[in-house]
Amino acid sequence: MSEDLDQSALDYHRYPKPGKLAIKATKPLANQRDLALAYSPGVAAACREIEQDPLTASLYTARSNLVGVITNGTAVLGLGAIGGLASKPVMEGKAVLFKQFADIDVFDIEIDERDPEKLIETIARLEPTFGGINLEDIKAPDCFIVERALKERMKIPVFHDDQHGTAIVVSAAILNGLRVVGKDIGQVRLVTAGAGAAALACVDLLVALGLSKENVTLTDIAGVVYPGRLEVMDPYKGRYARDTEMRTLEEAIVGADIFLGLSAAGVLKPEWLIRMADHPIVMALANPEPEIMPDLARAARPDAIIATGRSDYPNQVNNVLCFPFIFRGALDCGASEINEAMKVACVRAIADLAMAEPSDIVRAAYGGDQLQFGPEYLIPRPFDRRLMEHLAPAVAQAAMESGVATRPIADLDAYRQSLHTRAYRTGMTMKPVFDQARTAPKRVVFAEGEDERVLQVAQQAIAEGIARPILIGRTEIIASRLGTLGLSIRPGRDFDLVVPSDNPNFEHYWHAFYDRVKRRGYAPDEVRKYIRNDTTVLAATMVRVGDADAMICGIVGRYSRHFKHVEEVIGAAPGVRRLTAMSALVLPGGPLFMADTYVQVDPTAEDLVEITRLCAAEVRCFGLVPKVALLSHSNFGSHDSPAATKMHEALRLLRELEPELEVEGEMHANLAFDAAVRQARFPESRLTGRANLLIMPNQDAANIAFNLLRTMNEGASFGPMLLGTDRAAHIVTPSTSVRGLLNMTAIAAVQAG
């Protein structure tokens, strides 16, 4: 890693508090009665129930949603045998992935034991704690021994992700690759580079899917695996020893249909690809550098289908497509193991999802990409929110059909719908926006370019590939602060620098600004001073004349001052009467958007309609279906005050103008989130589930509610997003964090597109 990335990673792990995990209580403990229920004497009731029927542990404890991520640190990430303690950051990272992608809780356990038999004994005794075990980063062949013994002894799923997670995603990609080229899995020939745990698991699963064992050639660091070979052999790879005269990968690859690389960078030479069969499938999965880079493979074989483990090329093979969701399905049906049928079901679900017609929401979440099944889209992308609702039910159904489900799911359709809702509670709200921004990075100008937060965001925006920053500021100040912060970005090379006191476009800019404000009482001399001295005016003018695609200001100073100039220079888009501001929170229950938090003080019913329409359109950019609640002190006509009446009128107008929009009101705030209470109070409500967009009757209510929720909850916040402008322009607040500013950069870049 570069020194900058290395230090950033250390800071990420260290601040604001060490590590990536914390334990959070799910029940209140606010008074003596809560204490009596949670602990003595009340807890005894739950203990007795479980003693009588162990299956009730899933009702009274967190065990059914708790996975142990366990390692002894003998094969970590390519770092090797670094030991349990040094591997802990990796295990915490795996725990975060479980939580973020599938809402599964994890305890990471690092065991200082290299003897496989002692490791087995230690892990097996943990069975009462967990609903499942994910083995991680255990060297081969110990991983085979440990997993097999634990599966025999334990009555909960035991899954070595390095083997089976890789195998599932690889198999899905190969199945779909064969679909694209029109080849039969029973007829193709496969050659591996690598014969370790992951490679063997891939071959085993592909054989279960129909690949002929006789058509498999394993190669490793010692060459082709053949009967009688003594060098670097074990019984596990010996199962695929092939009686052949071939001794090298170069010889074995001649005529092969599939290359499966799980080895090291550069082991596959471009000239060898020429000797493969027509339309070969090249799975070059070594990380961070594959066995052959895709551009070299493409140049040698234009007809090849290529996949890697990297995110910067099509067809990324990533275990995160599998492990969170196979455990989700296994835990939810109380599976006693993850068997072959469940793995095959997961393979087919991944493969079929890539062929499914994506909805408009999914398409929007990926920057408008068509996501059309073909050579460059064999498997879903790792952040496809449909994964959970497709994979987990398929796994659960396979568990039930194969007889290993101890808590069968009665209604799979209802289960699938519950997973759809759960998928939007995983804290990945901004991911679709970043994906869209990367498709066509825009020039984003930062009015306060000297601020340390802006400088850090500029470097991150470049690293993320979401924008080309333009910083307004003084050369010497920015250079000094870049050095102090240890940032590697430099003006001209990585970002553009505009110095207000030495601006070659000064004449052009002041004339452009004057054209916008000459009927608002501004004299030419005053305009020239603004262009030299007010960086918000300068940034807005740059966007207006097309020298930048979007702007961000507000790090310093009052919102109202920045808004005045943005409104003067940028103005409203055609058809928009008034601008509005929407803020957002990422809460445990999912993202929540609120308006108008900063612009319109007391909007009319007509204003509220426009606010709602602008906000709903922005919510869709996050890959979400807007669910709108018009909030009030009144519940469906219970009061006739002016504030309640305008909310009721806004609903009537919205129903006329946006009949497809899911909107309801006027209502109390609690009804926006509690569908059962709302249904009891107003059975004819057109709002389903939990609202994700709250429209407030005035700015006081919106701003107060947003800041209260932001203070009381641990969820991230971002915004305010300025909506309705003629060009992309956002005004943040002085309390905005580096992460919040990066989020706003992505949002601005997407709006500019």
Side-chain angles (χ1 to χ4, degrees):
M1 293 192 297
S2 70
E3 290 184 9
D4 290 328
L5 183 58
D6 208 347
Q7 186 58 51
S8 295
L10 292 174
D11 290 344
Y12 174 86
H13 283 81
R14 184 176 180 182
Y15 302 109
K17 59 182 180 181
K20 300 188 285 280
L21 295 175
I23 294 175
K24 183 178 179 179
T26 60
K27 299 293 192 298
L29 195 62
N31 52 48
Q32 188 64 35
R33 178 166 175 77
D34 289 344
L35 181 60
L37 294 172
Y39 202 56
S40 179
V43 71
C47 295
R48 285 193 295 267
E49 289 291 316
I50 296 169
E51 183 184 24
Q52 293 173 12
D53 181 1
L55 290 179
T56 60
S58 65
L59 302 177
Y60 302 118
T61 75
R63 182 175 186 260
S64 63
N65 195 53
L66 186 61
V67 166
V69 171
I70 301 179
T71 188
N72 65 353
T74 52
V76 181
L77 274 183
L79 298 173
I82 62 176
L85 183 60
S87 74
K88 190 171 180 64
V90 181
M91 301 309 113
E92 286 189 355
K94 192 67 175 261
V96 170
L97 294 179
F98 266 108
K99 187 64 178 178
Q100 292 292 88
F101 283 90
D103 197 22
I104 292 172
D105 297 318
V106 165
F107 289 156
D108 65 290
I109 297 179
E110 296 75 30
I111 301 173
D112 187 14
E113 181 54 72
R114 298 197 177 194
D115 183 320
E117 294 303 324
K118 292 180 180 177
L119 187 61
I120 291 164
E121 288 297 324
T122 302
I123 298 172
R125 290 189 173 96
L126 297 173
E127 183 168 349
T129 302
F130 296 109
I133 299 292
N134 184 98
L135 299 175
E136 195 78 15
D137 293 349
I138 300 172
K139 71 179 181 71
D142 293 359
C143 58
F144 303 118
I145 299 168
V146 172
E147 185 190 37
R148 183 178 61 199
L150 291 175
K151 290 183 75 169
E152 291 173 355
R153 290 182 56 172
M154 302 179 80
K155 296 179 181 178
I156 57 174
V158 177
F159 187 80
H160 185 211
D161 184 48
D162 296 335
Q163 293 181 64
H164 308 300
T166 302
I168 288 167
V169 183
V170 165
S171 297
I174 288 177
L175 280 188
N176 276 354
L178 294 174
R179 281 171 167 168
V180 170
V181 300
K183 294 183 180 181
D184 182 351
I185 191 172
Q187 303 300 317
V188 295
R189 194 163 76 80
L190 178 145
V191 175
T192 77
L200 290 171
C202 290
V203 174
D204 287 343
L205 189 52
L206 285 165
V207 168
L209 288 161
L211 178 67
S212 173
K213 187 175 179 181
E214 289 69 33
N215 289 344
V216 174
T217 303
L218 295 186
T219 76
D220 59 13
I221 195 169
V224 172
V225 175
Y226 60 90
R229 196 185 90 175
L230 300 177
E231 188 179 1
V232 200
M233 284 297 292
D234 59 56
Y236 304 98
K237 67 178 73 172
R239 293 184 291 113
Y240 288 100
R242 185 179 178 198
D243 192 2
T244 176
E245 298 299 318
M246 298 182 294
R247 291 296 181 264
T248 67
L249 174 60
E250 181 181 4
E251 295 170 345
I253 204 167
V254 176
D257 299 279
I258 303 168
F259 168 80
L260 174 57
L262 288 154
S263 54
V267 302
L268 180 60
K269 307 304 179 186
E271 57 269 25
W272 299 353
L273 285 177
I274 299 171
R275 298 195 286 265
M276 291 186 73
D278 291 341
H279 304 291
I281 297 172
V282 178
M283 310 289 291
L285 306 180
N287 258 325
E289 186 176 341
E291 286 80 2
I292 186 170
M293 292 300 290
D295 51 347
L296 295 177
R298 182 73 63 208
R301 286 300 298 263
D303 62 334
I305 290 178
I306 304 164
T308 71
R310 295 169 58 125
S311 61
D312 52 348
Y313 291 100
N315 298 324
Q316 182 191 14
V317 174
N318 191 318
N319 287 15
V320 81
L321 278 175
C322 161
F323 72 81
F325 313 112
I326 198 167
F327 267 101
R328 180 75 278 155
L331 292 172
D332 289 342
C333 70
S336 58
E337 64 176 342
I338 293 176
N339 59 23
E340 204 71 12
M342 295 160 73
K343 288 186 281 186
V344 168
C346 195
V347 170
R348 298 199 184 281
I350 293 172
D352 291 346
L353 180 56
M355 300 181 69
E357 182 69 25
S359 68
D360 291 341
I361 296 296
V362 172
R363 193 175 290 115
Y366 284 96
D369 288 0
Q370 291 303 307
L371 302 180
Q372 185 173 356
F373 175 70
E376 294 196 344
Y377 182 62
L378 296 178
I379 51 178
R381 298 184 181 181
F383 286 88
D384 193 327
R385 282 175 170 158
R386 299 173 298 169
L387 283 163
M388 185 150 67
E389 63 186 276
H390 280 72
L391 271 59
V395 170
Q397 183 171 1
M400 292 187 288
E401 291 175 352
S402 61
V404 298
T406 63
R407 299 189 309 275
I409 297 169
D411 188 339
L412 279 173
D413 288 335
Y415 173 57
R416 191 173 289 108
Q417 182 57 45
S418 72
L419 292 172
H420 174 82
T421 302
R422 201 169 193 170
Y424 288 86
R425 299 178 181 174
T426 56
M428 295 187 293
T429 304
M430 284 302 303
K431 186 63 178 64
V433 180
F434 276 76
D435 285 339
Q436 292 178 65
R438 288 190 192 98
T439 61
K442 301 298 181 183
R443 300 165 300 168
V444 179
V445 58
F446 294 86
E448 295 94 359
E450 296 176 359
D451 190 277
E452 291 186 355
R453 287 168 292 177
V454 171
L455 296 174
Q456 293 175 70
V457 164
Q459 175 141 324
Q460 292 181 28
I462 294 164
E464 291 275 1
I466 61 173
R468 168 78 179 189
I470 304 172
L471 306 185
I472 297 176
R474 292 163 290 181
T475 305
E476 64 279 7
I477 298 297
I478 288 178
S480 174
R481 290 179 180 170
L482 287 175
T484 300
L485 294 169
L487 301 176
S488 62
I489 57 172
R490 296 293 179 265
R493 184 189 70 189
D494 305 300
F495 65 91
D496 299 310
L497 177 61
V498 176
V499 182
S501 62
D502 185 23
N503 185 355
N505 293 316
F506 173 75
E507 289 293 323
H508 178 45
Y509 289 163
W510 88 254
H511 281 294
F513 179 41
Y514 182 67
D515 283 344
R516 295 289 295 174
V517 298
K518 61 188 176 185
R519 295 287 184 179
R520 297 190 179 206
Y522 287 80
D525 285 347
E526 188 179 8
V527 165
R528 282 190 284 267
K529 288 180 181 178
Y530 269 112
I531 289 293
R532 287 207 187 278
N533 301 318
D534 194 309
T535 57
T536 294
V537 171
L538 177 54
T541 303
M542 290 177 64
V543 174
R544 168 53 64 183
V545 302
D547 287 351
D549 301 305
M551 68 168 286
I552 293 177
C553 62
I555 289 289
V556 178
R558 293 183 178 181
Y559 190 97
S560 58
R561 179 183 72 80
H562 294 284
F563 179 79
K564 175 179 181 291
H565 296 310
V566 169
E567 189 177 38
E568 288 173 338
V569 182
I570 302 293
V576 176
R577 296 185 304 111
R578 300 182 65 186
L579 304 183
T580 191
M582 180 175 73
S583 299
L585 291 156
V586 181
L587 301 175
L592 179 65
F593 301 85
M594 303 173 69
D596 180 333
T597 47
Y598 280 89
V599 175
Q600 298 193 41
V601 176
D602 190 15
T604 65
E606 290 75 16
D607 293 332
L608 289 168
V609 169
E610 185 173 58
I611 289 170
T612 302
R613 298 177 79 179
L614 289 171
C615 292
E618 187 67 15
V619 168
R620 292 187 184 100
C621 292
F622 290 83
L624 299 168
V625 176
K627 293 176 176 286
V628 188
L630 305 179
L631 298 191
S632 173
H633 71 289
S634 173
N635 247 343
F636 308 109
S638 64
H639 293 78
D640 59 0
S641 66
T645 300
K646 76 173 180 180
M647 301 305 285
H648 188 78
E649 176 64 10
L651 177 67
R652 185 188 68 79
L653 294 171
L654 280 167
R655 291 273 168 82
E656 291 179 1
L657 296 171
E658 298 275 356
E660 300 302 316
L661 181 65
E662 198 170 323
V663 56
E664 190 56 86
E666 77 284 11
M667 70 175 77
H668 289 178
N670 64 309
L671 269 65
F673 303 112
D674 195 325
V677 174
R678 184 173 64 245
Q679 184 68 17
R681 179 67 179 78
F682 190 68
E684 298 178 7
S685 173
R686 297 189 193 178
L687 180 63
T688 61
R690 172 189 180 275
N692 57 19
L693 172 56
L694 307 182
I695 304 299
M696 302 292 188
N698 55 51
Q699 188 184 112
D700 279 347
N703 192 280
I704 291 169
F706 173 73
N707 282 297
L708 276 173
L709 284 173
R710 183 174 63 170
T711 302
M712 294 170 63
N713 287 277
E714 296 179 1
S717 63
F718 53 93
M721 293 162 270
L722 188 59
L723 307 180
T725 52
D726 193 38
R727 308 280 195 280
H730 292 288
I731 307 165
V732 297
T733 62
S735 63
T736 302
S737 66
V738 172
R739 183 66 199 182
L741 198 55
L742 183 65
N743 288 338
M744 291 307 302
T745 303
I747 291 168
V750 170
Q751 286 186 347

mmCIF file of all heavy atoms in Angstrom, residues 389 393 397 400 409-420:
data_model
loop_
_atom_site.group_PDB
_atom_site.id
_atom_site.type_symbol
_atom_site.label_atom_id
_atom_site.label_comp_id
_atom_site.label_asym_id
_atom_site.label_seq_id
_atom_site.Cartn_x
_atom_site.Cartn_y
_atom_site.Cartn_z
ATOM 1 N N GLU A 389 -32.690 -10.885 -0.994
ATOM 2 C CA GLU A 389 -34.042 -11.412 -1.195
ATOM 3 C C GLU A 389 -34.079 -12.542 -2.225
ATOM 4 O O GLU A 389 -35.058 -13.278 -2.292
ATOM 5 C CB GLU A 389 -34.997 -10.295 -1.605
ATOM 6 C CG GLU A 389 -34.669 -9.636 -2.924
ATOM 7 C CD GLU A 389 -35.568 -8.442 -3.195
ATOM 8 O OE1 GLU A 389 -36.679 -8.658 -3.698
ATOM 9 O OE2 GLU A 389 -35.141 -7.300 -2.920
ATOM 10 N N PRO A 393 -33.697 -16.913 0.420
ATOM 11 C CA PRO A 393 -34.824 -17.845 0.282
ATOM 12 C C PRO A 393 -34.459 -19.113 -0.484
ATOM 13 O O PRO A 393 -34.952 -20.199 -0.163
ATOM 14 C CB PRO A 393 -35.870 -17.029 -0.477
ATOM 15 C CG PRO A 393 -35.529 -15.607 -0.198
ATOM 16 C CD PRO A 393 -34.037 -15.588 -0.133
ATOM 17 N N GLN A 397 -34.868 -22.684 1.198
ATOM 18 C CA GLN A 397 -35.707 -23.699 0.559
ATOM 19 C C GLN A 397 -34.918 -24.996 0.346
ATOM 20 O O GLN A 397 -35.429 -26.098 0.596
ATOM 21 C CB GLN A 397 -36.238 -23.195 -0.778
ATOM 22 C CG GLN A 397 -37.182 -24.170 -1.464
ATOM 23 C CD GLN A 397 -37.875 -23.555 -2.679
ATOM 24 O OE1 GLN A 397 -37.628 -22.402 -3.020
ATOM 25 N NE2 GLN A 397 -38.727 -24.315 -3.318
ATOM 26 N N MET A 400 -34.624 -26.784 3.625
ATOM 27 C CA MET A 400 -35.866 -27.473 3.979
ATOM 28 C C MET A 400 -36.056 -28.737 3.147
ATOM 29 O O MET A 400 -36.419 -29.792 3.675
ATOM 30 C CB MET A 400 -37.049 -26.515 3.813
ATOM 31 C CG MET A 400 -37.039 -25.369 4.820
ATOM 32 S SD MET A 400 -38.522 -24.327 4.787
ATOM 33 C CE MET A 400 -38.304 -23.441 3.250
ATOM 34 N N ILE A 409 -39.483 -22.494 7.164
ATOM 35 C CA ILE A 409 -40.192 -21.244 6.900
ATOM 36 C C ILE A 409 -41.492 -21.576 6.177
ATOM 37 O O ILE A 409 -41.478 -22.153 5.083
ATOM 38 C CB ILE A 409 -39.318 -20.293 6.069
ATOM 39 C CG1 ILE A 409 -38.055 -19.916 6.861
ATOM 40 C CG2 ILE A 409 -40.092 -19.032 5.673
ATOM 41 C CD1 ILE A 409 -37.000 -19.208 6.045
ATOM 42 N N ALA A 410 -42.595 -21.211 6.782
ATOM 43 C CA ALA A 410 -43.909 -21.597 6.240
ATOM 44 C C ALA A 410 -44.263 -20.834 4.980
ATOM 45 O O ALA A 410 -44.835 -21.395 4.040
ATOM 46 C CB ALA A 410 -44.986 -21.390 7.312
ATOM 47 N N ASP A 411 -43.949 -19.554 4.928
ATOM 48 C CA ASP A 411 -44.354 -18.707 3.805
ATOM 49 C C ASP A 411 -43.107 -18.057 3.211
ATOM 50 O O ASP A 411 -42.634 -17.037 3.688
ATOM 51 C CB ASP A 411 -45.339 -17.638 4.294
ATOM 52 C CG ASP A 411 -45.956 -16.844 3.150
ATOM 53 O OD1 ASP A 411 -45.367 -16.824 2.053
ATOM 54 O OD2 ASP A 411 -47.021 -16.229 3.360
ATOM 55 N N LEU A 412 -42.575 -18.663 2.147
ATOM 56 C CA LEU A 412 -41.352 -18.152 1.541
ATOM 57 C C LEU A 412 -41.566 -16.793 0.881
ATOM 58 O O LEU A 412 -40.654 -15.957 0.848
ATOM 59 C CB LEU A 412 -40.810 -19.150 0.518
ATOM 60 C CG LEU A 412 -39.995 -20.317 1.094
ATOM 61 C CD1 LEU A 412 -39.676 -21.323 0.005
ATOM 62 C CD2 LEU A 412 -38.705 -19.814 1.741
ATOM 63 N N ASP A 413 -42.755 -16.545 0.356
ATOM 64 C CA ASP A 413 -43.029 -15.245 -0.266
ATOM 65 C C ASP A 413 -42.989 -14.131 0.783
ATOM 66 O O ASP A 413 -42.417 -13.060 0.547
ATOM 67 C CB ASP A 413 -44.385 -15.251 -0.972
ATOM 68 C CG ASP A 413 -44.367 -16.081 -2.243
ATOM 69 O OD1 ASP A 413 -43.270 -16.254 -2.819
ATOM 70 O OD2 ASP A 413 -45.436 -16.559 -2.656
ATOM 71 N N ALA A 414 -43.601 -14.385 1.930
ATOM 72 C CA ALA A 414 -43.561 -13.393 3.003
ATOM 73 C C ALA A 414 -42.134 -13.207 3.504
ATOM 74 O O ALA A 414 -41.708 -12.084 3.822
ATOM 75 C CB ALA A 414 -44.474 -13.813 4.148
ATOM 76 N N TYR A 415 -41.392 -14.310 3.586
ATOM 77 C CA TYR A 415 -39.996 -14.243 4.007
ATOM 78 C C TYR A 415 -39.182 -13.405 3.020
ATOM 79 O O TYR A 415 -38.389 -12.551 3.412
ATOM 80 C CB TYR A 415 -39.435 -15.657 4.090
ATOM 81 C CG TYR A 415 -37.946 -15.745 4.366
ATOM 82 C CD1 TYR A 415 -37.387 -15.155 5.491
ATOM 83 C CD2 TYR A 415 -37.112 -16.454 3.503
ATOM 84 C CE1 TYR A 415 -36.024 -15.257 5.751
ATOM 85 C CE2 TYR A 415 -35.752 -16.564 3.749
ATOM 86 C CZ TYR A 415 -35.216 -15.956 4.867
ATOM 87 O OH TYR A 415 -33.866 -16.055 5.122
ATOM 88 N N ARG A 416 -39.427 -13.624 1.731
ATOM 89 C CA ARG A 416 -38.718 -12.861 0.702
ATOM 90 C C ARG A 416 -39.010 -11.369 0.826
ATOM 91 O O ARG A 416 -38.121 -10.533 0.696
ATOM 92 C CB ARG A 416 -39.120 -13.385 -0.671
ATOM 93 C CG ARG A 416 -38.270 -12.868 -1.809
ATOM 94 C CD ARG A 416 -38.631 -13.566 -3.114
ATOM 95 N NE ARG A 416 -38.192 -14.956 -3.120
ATOM 96 C CZ ARG A 416 -39.006 -15.997 -3.025
ATOM 97 N NH1 ARG A 416 -40.313 -15.818 -2.896
ATOM 98 N NH2 ARG A 416 -38.534 -17.231 -3.037
ATOM 99 N N GLN A 417 -40.253 -11.026 1.097
ATOM 100 C CA GLN A 417 -40.622 -9.627 1.245
ATOM 101 C C GLN A 417 -39.963 -9.015 2.479
ATOM 102 O O GLN A 417 -39.509 -7.864 2.461
ATOM 103 C CB GLN A 417 -42.141 -9.483 1.345
ATOM 104 C CG GLN A 417 -42.637 -8.046 1.444
ATOM 105 C CD GLN A 417 -42.181 -7.189 0.278
ATOM 106 O OE1 GLN A 417 -42.247 -7.613 -0.880
ATOM 107 N NE2 GLN A 417 -41.709 -5.987 0.567
ATOM 108 N N SER A 418 -39.872 -9.789 3.556
ATOM 109 C CA SER A 418 -39.214 -9.263 4.761
ATOM 110 C C SER A 418 -37.735 -9.007 4.506
ATOM 111 O O SER A 418 -37.156 -8.057 5.042
ATOM 112 C CB SER A 418 -39.389 -10.249 5.927
ATOM 113 O OG SER A 418 -38.591 -11.410 5.747
ATOM 114 N N LEU A 419 -37.118 -9.832 3.667
ATOM 115 C CA LEU A 419 -35.711 -9.633 3.326
ATOM 116 C C LEU A 419 -35.530 -8.405 2.448
ATOM 117 O O LEU A 419 -34.521 -7.697 2.553
ATOM 118 C CB LEU A 419 -35.160 -10.868 2.612
ATOM 119 C CG LEU A 419 -35.047 -12.134 3.466
ATOM 120 C CD1 LEU A 419 -34.682 -13.321 2.591
ATOM 121 C CD2 LEU A 419 -34.018 -11.953 4.573
ATOM 122 N N HIS A 420 -36.486 -8.162 1.564
ATOM 123 C CA HIS A 420 -36.437 -6.965 0.723
ATOM 124 C C HIS A 420 -36.383 -5.717 1.598
ATOM 125 O O HIS A 420 -35.587 -4.798 1.363
ATOM 126 C CB HIS A 420 -37.654 -6.919 -0.197
ATOM 127 C CG HIS A 420 -37.766 -5.659 -0.992
ATOM 128 N ND1 HIS A 420 -37.069 -5.459 -2.156
ATOM 129 C CD2 HIS A 420 -38.475 -4.517 -0.775
ATOM 130 C CE1 HIS A 420 -37.339 -4.254 -2.629
ATOM 131 N NE2 HIS A 420 -38.192 -3.668 -1.817
#
